[in-house]
Amino acid sequence: MKKLSIAVVFAVVAVFAFTSVASAHTLRYGTAKKLAIKLGKKQEQKDPVRNWSIRGAQRQSAHQLTWIYHVNYTDGRTCTADLVVQYTTKSNGKPIAKAFFDKPTITCE
């Protein structure tokens, strides 16, 4: 009976240990939004931008969030694109969050 109760305790501890590891790799909204804003500012430095905004965050998975990126250029063009922030893994296996524009979704008027 004592061995059974010890086994149950170890099983419960193992379950909590694995769930905490899995949830630790969930991309947090605040972290993702900071990276999305950083990418928007970087784009503003690259191109002649009048103004830009991100709207409508949608969680695609535990590891990915997507925003709609709107930009008005000084030459009068208006463009929209999906701005994606997602976890990827480095070569050493550690997760890292990256932000990028989803190129097939870029449309300009």
Side-chain angles (χ1 to χ4, degrees):
M1 186 69 173
K2 186 176 180 180
K3 287 183 180 181
L4 180 62
S5 62
I6 291 172
V8 169
V9 169
F10 280 126
V12 169
V13 169
V15 165
F16 286 120
F18 287 122
T19 56
S20 65
V21 169
S23 66
H25 295 298
T26 299
L27 181 61
R28 294 178 181 262
Y29 176 83
T31 303
K33 187 171 182 181
K34 285 178 188 175
L35 283 171
I37 290 170
K38 186 177 178 180
L39 180 60
K41 288 180 180 179
K42 187 176 179 182
Q43 194 67 25
E44 188 176 22
Q45 298 300 318
K46 255 187 185 179
D47 296 325
V49 173
R50 181 175 299 133
N51 59 20
W52 64 273
S53 65
I54 56 172
R55 296 179 230 183
Q58 291 185 342
R59 183 169 291 279
Q60 305 301 324
S61 70
H63 306 287
Q64 181 176 330
L65 282 155
T66 304
W67 280 268
I68 302 298
Y69 171 80
H70 296 277
V71 61
N72 292 318
Y73 292 102
T74 56
D75 64 2
R77 289 181 299 143
T78 301
C79 298
T80 60
D82 284 352
L83 193 157
V84 180
V85 179
Q86 72 178 15
Y87 266 141
T88 58
T89 53
K90 294 168 72 173
S91 58
N92 62 4
K94 290 187 177 183
I96 184 170
K98 292 194 174 191
F100 58 92
F101 293 108
D102 190 12
K103 291 196 191 277
T105 63
I106 297 173
T107 57
C108 294
E109 297 174 355

